[in-house]
Amino acid sequence: MKTVLILGAGIGGIEIARELSINSGNEDDIQIIKIIVFEKEDKSVFSPSLPWLMVGKRETDQIYKSTKNIEASGLEVVKGEIENIDPENISVTVKNKTFKGDYMVVSLGVEQKAKFKLDDYGYNFFQLKGAEGFHEQLEKFKGGKIAVLVSSLPYKSPAAPYEAAMLIQDYITNKGLSDKTEISIYTPEKEPMEFAGEGPSSELKSLLEKKGIKYYSSHQITSASKDSLEFDNYENYNFDLLAFTPEHLCPAVIRKSSLVGKSGWIEVNELSMETAYPNVYAIGDIVELKLGSGIPLPKLGVFARSQAKIVAHNISRRIGNKEANKTFNAEGQYYIESGDGKAIPAKAHFYDPSSEKVEVNSPDNWGHIKKWWSEKYWLFKNF
Ligand SMILES: Cc1cc2nc3c(=O)[nH]c(=O)nc-3n(C[C@H](O)[C@H](O)[C@H](O)COP(=O)(O)OP(=O)(O)OC[C@H]3O[C@@H](n4cnc5c(N)ncnc54)[C@H](O)[C@@H]3O)c2cc1C
């Protein structure tokens, strides 16, 4: 029996563990793969629902499940922080115990850090606690300035701050506070969703404008206080309520390992997701995949999932002494909530040179329903 070590039970890790467990039995129901999943957190949060939590469209306990619940036949969960990774020997150490495998898939996501004491002055809505705290303050809000800040690049889900701002604007309008409220986005990016190209970027910008959301591009924060933000162009802006994205780093356990590449992230073969070490793969946010244009592939759950499916398929084939025959194609669909029960459907195909990298359509109810469904399906299917 071959052992597959899966590092991290987030979106990529759960998807690959599930796929492998489906492939792991033969017709006599004999397990031919042993799957061990390593995870430090008790709660497995569905991050795409965090913007809904910020504006009270979800309760906290509706968007996470217990990590333990992913255990299924042929799938074992080891709870604890991974302290060491040895890709050469395909092994990991947790609480001083070392586990050895035949294959390893690293899906540890990003490490988040609040710069400039932003945690003291606002809410990191990329985490459960921050999104929940922001909502508590929003409920008490009587008007004033709301800031949505992108504190550094890169960050996952590059539409999330725009989505959050549009949902906040919707909430404020429904509460009858729009005359007394100013919502602003501050970001170091030159344009919203730069990676998507000029068309989608300017469509999103004009939607923000139509909704009265102010957009300050090329603004890199340099310091913060309890009610103001300072930027690298020496401009200062006050706020009454702040939501921010944290700095994203490659997790420390990888930074100290030989898996980290020049980019500061794990670098892999863009088709197979295999690292420089045989039988060691990396998927999801922890990977830096440079596209032809030099821009990295955006860090999105939709890609973590499709990479997981391909790697699971190929590992199963290799275990059965067959050729690995699937490749990642950087295609995916996602939905950007825009308020009023609508979402912008966006379709990406980054490896296809013959078409636009991203196609976006006007916000519609159907997009919102699809996003709603993907949340329900994920939480139902996996736990
Ligand atoms: C607000 C928000 C909105 C989003 N919206 C969308 C969307 O609409 N569509 C979309 O496609 N994507 C969206 N995303 C992005 C999506 O959530 C991520 O791209 C996806 O979760 C990446 O999956 P992953 O497996 O790489 O990492 P993660 O899901 O972050 O999982 C990594 C796991 O590794 C664990 N871990 C880390 N270090 C260790 C360690 N040392 N030991 C043990 N365990 C460890 C972590 O606890 C975590 O569970 C959104 C993200 C946010 C924050």
Side-chain angles (χ1 to χ4, degrees), residues 186-218:
Y186 303 96
T187 174
E189 296 155 297
K190 289 192 194 75
E191 303 286 343
M193 302 205 316
E194 280 173 300
F195 62 87
E198 225 175 282
S201 204
S202 59
E203 275 178 53
L204 184 53
K205 217 155 87 179
S206 71
L207 186 62
L208 295 173
E209 212 174 287
K210 236 186 265 170
K211 289 176 178 285
I213 298 168
K214 296 193 167 179
Y215 182 62
Y216 296 89
S217 57
S218 304

Side-chain angles (χ1 to χ4, degrees), residues 23-308:
N23 299 344
S24 71
N26 61 20
E27 54 273 21
D28 302 318
D29 208 20
I30 298 166
Q31 299 297 324
I32 54 170
I33 307 178
K34 180 174 182 185
I35 305 159
I36 312 179
V37 183
F38 299 86
E39 173 58 54
K40 62 182 169 63
E41 302 291 338
D42 292 320
K43 289 177 184 163
S44 182
V45 178
F46 189 62
S47 298
S49 302
L50 289 169
W52 281 329
L53 181 61
M54 291 173 83
V55 295
K57 289 196 181 292
R58 291 292 179 278
E59 299 290 331
T60 305
D61 58 9
Q62 289 177 313
I63 68 163
Y64 75 84
K65 296 271 180 173
S66 167
T67 304
K68 227 26 208 152
N69 290 2
I70 64 167
E71 283 190 340
S73 54
L75 205 163
E76 178 187 334
V77 177
V78 173
K79 172 75 212 313
E81 175 123 20
I82 299 166
E83 291 138 13
N84 200 46
I85 300 174
D86 178 352
E88 216 158 325
N89 292 305
I90 313 193
S91 71
V92 299
T93 309
V94 179
K95 295 178 187 157
N96 290 324
K97 187 171 170 197
T98 298
F99 299 79
K100 170 106 184 71
D102 302 288
Y103 294 84
M104 181 193 278
V105 184
V106 186
S107 47
L108 293 175
V110 306
E111 186 179 304
Q112 301 189 16
K113 193 173 150 196
K115 291 162 92 177
F116 310 115
K117 292 190 174 173
L118 284 167
D119 255 348
D120 291 352
Y121 314 128
Y123 298 89
N124 169 6
F125 71 98
F126 272 32
Q127 288 181 351
L128 203 59
K129 192 167 142 256
E132 195 178 40
F134 181 86
H135 176 239
E136 275 166 29
Q137 295 308 312
L138 191 63
E139 275 190 308
K140 295 183 215 154
F141 190 74
K142 299 272 182 282
K145 293 183 173 178
I146 300 180
V148 177
L149 170 76
V150 174
S151 75
S152 75
L153 302 177
Y155 63 96
K156 58 181 158 179
S157 191
Y162 305 102
E163 194 171 42
M166 290 190 281
L167 287 173
I168 295 167
Q169 189 267 349
D170 195 42
Y171 178 98
I172 292 293
T173 307
N174 292 336
K175 257 196 139 180
L177 291 172
S178 33
D179 290 349
K180 296 188 218 163
T181 307
E182 191 177 288
I183 302 168
S184 307
I185 301 171
Y186 303 96
T187 174
E189 296 155 297
K190 289 192 194 75
E191 303 286 343
M193 302 205 316
E194 280 173 300
F195 62 87
E198 225 175 282
S201 204
S202 59
E203 275 178 53
L204 184 53
K205 217 155 87 179
S206 71
L207 186 62
L208 295 173
E209 212 174 287
K210 236 186 265 170
K211 289 176 178 285
I213 298 168
K214 296 193 167 179
Y215 182 62
Y216 296 89
S217 57
S218 304
H219 277 60
Q220 173 62 62
I221 184 174
T222 50
S223 69
S225 70
K226 70 176 186 358
D227 55 8
S228 83
L229 303 170
E230 186 168 317
F231 296 94
D232 55 353
N233 55 8
Y234 305 108
E235 286 174 12
N236 256 292
Y237 294 93
N238 290 338
F239 63 83
D240 299 294
L241 183 54
L242 169 68
F244 68 91
T245 69
E247 181 181 11
H248 286 28
L249 300 164
C250 186
V253 68
I254 296 294
R255 294 203 307 271
K256 69 172 188 181
S257 82
S258 55
L259 273 171
V260 72
K262 277 194 198 122
S263 62
W265 302 90
I266 300 182
E267 286 150 22
V268 292
N269 176 294
E270 62 175 13
L271 299 176
S272 69
M273 308 306 293
E274 202 166 8
T275 66
Y277 294 92
N279 298 342
V280 177
Y281 298 80
I283 59 169
D285 292 350
I286 201 160
V287 167
E288 165 121 337
L289 264 188
K290 277 265 192 296
L291 299 169
S293 55
I295 293 176
L297 181 80
K299 297 183 188 300
L300 278 168
V302 63
F303 293 136
R305 290 184 63 186
S306 53
Q307 290 163 354

